[in-house]
Amino acid sequence: AQTVTQSQPEMSVQEAETVTLSCTYDTSESNYYLFWYKQPPSRQMILVIRQEAYKQQNATENRFSVNFQKAAKSFSLKISDSQLGDTAMYFCAFMKKTGANSKLTFGKGITLSVRP
Amino acid sequence: ETGVTQTPRHLVMGMTNKKSLKCEQHLGHNAMYWYKQSAKKPLELMFVYNFKEQTENNSVPSRFSPECPNSSHLFLHLHTLQPEDSALYLCASSYGTSGGVYEQYFGPGTRLTVT
């Protein structure tokens, strides 16, 4: 079974600054995907970024980038130039590449507040 | 309507009531999911449907009864719930469930309070 750990329950960052959200996971799989989801106060969860485990290059989506350390089973999210609209809960999630049901295993989430 | 919609957005029910949550996706997806989101806990997958067939029941109590009449609609029928069932119930959909990674698109959720 897979587990995803987000040990920081809350973080706060000043607008325009950079913040890093931590995530570790445990799995015996070698082929998998990792995701960061964002859930704003309106509650609609949206995908921020995803990383394929077999790709060494870290994924980047505009101001969002990841630091994927496969050996350490670490998958952190860096948000650059933080904006007020980045205030949300952020969930790290894991999905096996093989098998049925594309099951997502989520962490507990972290509440990020961006201060004006 | 676009994306994944859920109704009602808020629901308060007594332990003896029977109610239903509705989810509809307008994305042409084939798979639909129910998740439970409780405070301070990871999202818990409850049920998965693929082409209207249930492919996953994650040991969910029988007081939760899902129904998927077609690939666009998913219901969660609730009866004799307990206060600990109070949570945000999220619906999601995706193109598929196996043979690749399929991004799941989430609805806004139904905030359920059991009194």
Side-chain angles (χ1 to χ4, degrees):
Chain A
Q2 287 68 231
T3 59
V4 177
T5 302
Q6 294 179 254
S7 56
Q8 310 153 302
E10 303 181 356
M11 285 194 75
S12 179
V13 64
Q14 194 74 33
E15 192 176 9
E17 294 189 347
T18 296
V19 63
T20 299
L21 311 182
S22 302
C23 173
T24 58
Y25 59 95
D26 191 22
T27 184
S28 58
E29 301 286 329
S30 58
N31 220 353
Y32 51 86
Y33 296 87
L34 295 162
F35 305 84
W36 277 99
Y37 278 86
K38 170 185 177 181
Q39 188 180 40
S42 65
R43 299 292 182 181
Q44 197 109 21
M45 185 109 62
I46 56 174
L47 179 66
V48 174
I49 197 166
R50 79 179 196 189
Q51 174 80 40
E52 299 178 58
Y54 68 89
K55 288 189 176 179
Q56 292 187 334
Q57 186 173 6
N58 288 324
T60 300
E61 288 287 342
N62 300 314
R63 297 182 296 107
F64 298 88
S65 61
V66 299
N67 183 3
F68 174 47
Q69 302 290 328
K70 190 172 184 179
K73 294 181 181 175
S74 170
F75 182 61
S76 60
L77 175 69
K78 186 172 82 171
I79 306 175
S80 304
D81 185 26
S82 297
Q83 300 176 359
L84 297 179
D86 295 333
T87 293
M89 278 201 77
Y90 287 82
F91 294 91
C92 179
F94 172 102
M95 180 189 289
K96 289 194 303 183
K97 185 175 182 180
T98 56
N101 288 335
S102 293
K103 288 176 63 174
L104 281 168
T105 301
F106 286 88
K108 290 184 180 181
I110 177 172
T111 300
L112 175 68
S113 299
V114 180
R115 306 185 306 273
Chain B
E1 294 275 13
T2 58
V4 182
T5 58
Q6 290 186 244
T7 54
R9 293 293 307 275
H10 299 272
L11 178 63
V12 179
M13 60 184 289
M15 290 190 284
T16 58
N17 290 160
K18 289 184 179 181
K19 296 286 184 183
S20 295
L21 310 184
K22 178 183 176 181
C23 175
E24 185 172 359
Q25 59 93 2
H26 309 269
L27 300 168
H29 290 166
N30 301 307
M32 297 188 78
Y33 311 75
W34 279 118
Y35 288 89
K36 177 183 179 182
Q37 184 178 9
S38 305
K40 312 295 184 186
K41 293 176 67 175
L43 271 75
E44 302 171 55
L45 179 65
M46 300 174 71
F47 301 103
V48 180
Y49 278 82
N50 195 25
F51 289 98
K52 304 189 297 178
E53 298 298 320
Q54 187 181 115
T55 56
E56 182 93 14
N57 177 337
N58 201 20
S59 303
V60 180
S62 60
R63 57 186 184 269
F64 294 92
S65 175
E67 178 190 0
C68 189
N70 54 62
S71 294
S72 298
H73 294 85
L74 183 65
F75 296 89
L76 189 62
H77 303 299
L78 316 170
H79 63 98
T80 58
L81 294 191
Q82 304 298 311
E84 60 265 29
D85 297 323
S86 297
L88 183 69
Y89 288 84
L90 294 172
C91 174
S93 69
S94 66
Y95 279 112
T97 62
S98 62
V101 63
Y102 298 98
E103 180 182 344
Q104 294 181 22
Y105 292 76
F106 287 82
T110 294
R111 171 67 63 188
L112 174 67
T113 303
V114 181
T115 60

